[in-house]
Amino acid sequence: MPISAEASAPSRAELVDHLVRTRIAGDVATPRENNLDHYRKLANGDRHYWLGLELGERWTDEQDVLAVMAERCGVSDDPHHRQGQDTIDPELTVDALERAAALLRKAAAGRHRVLFATGHPGGLLDVHRATAQALRAKGCEIMTVPGIVAVADGLVVQFADVAVLERGASLWHTHSPAPMSAILDQLERDGSPRPDLVMADHGWAGCAAQRGIDTIGFADCNDPALFLGEAEGTLQVTVPLDDHVISPRYYDPLTAYLLDAAGVA
């Protein structure tokens, strides 16, 4: 059974086994054809798949995108594998968690301002919530959304310390960078300091990184932009994982491992 984020952290080997069993990594649910379709659309300049990053003309060959995804996420590097099963390497997931933990440790030591946000509230909300709670206990300032922040798709609200998109009294899945852009723009208008660190996913992470903020991002194997951003040094860390498995509780051991490695559990 999954453990809670507040319980004892698993060992690396235990976490790798858990990631594979729950399909957070290993043989994931996202099919190969969906991955390749997204890589192609990103390479063709469809900005929806850039997730708030400015990729210019640097990634116009989908084979270059595939090579980065094989290296940093663990998908198959075979260009002739066009459909069926694809993978995320659980060892790469844990490696990225350890790099993220180093940033969280630094934030805790410096009592930094940290902003949390998710476009996957059905899956990753509690990963962010538990991390925010742990950093607050170490003296970090967990930043709040400044006032009423509206975007075209709804309102940006904060739920359990995590910025999310709300529409029609529901929390929405979104890839858009607009909500994060709206938060940062409002902070600037208010004369308020921006975050020292952002932990987020999708366009929330891409936008923050593009604005020059140290960013930890979570990304699925069909969302290549954040991995390209890390390869270019725009994002500090991109953690590869299936970002919406059948139960959000399956992420608890991952969160426990992250917080323990950061020394903030």
Side-chain angles (χ1 to χ4, degrees), residues 158-194:
Q158 212 147 15
F159 186 78
D161 287 326
V162 186
V164 293
L165 180 66
E166 183 204 46
R167 186 167 66 197
S170 297
L171 306 184
W172 278 74
H173 172 221
T174 179
H175 286 228
S176 174
M180 178 60 77
S181 182
I183 292 173
L184 298 178
D185 288 347
Q186 188 61 54
L187 288 171
E188 184 176 355
R189 284 192 294 269
D190 292 346
S192 301
R194 68 183 194 169

Side-chain angles (χ1 to χ4, degrees), residues 215-237:
T215 302
I216 298 167
F218 294 92
D220 209 329
C221 54
N222 64 352
D223 290 326
L226 298 190
F227 295 99
L228 302 182
E230 184 185 18
E232 292 190 329
T234 310
L235 267 84
Q236 278 58 52
V237 181

Side-chain angles (χ1 to χ4, degrees), residues 23-32 84-86 220-221 242 244-245:
R23 302 186 74 184
I24 294 172
D27 289 343
V28 293
T30 309
R32 176 68 167 189
Q85 183 66 57
D86 214 340
D220 209 329
C221 54
D242 187 314
H244 197 127
V245 293

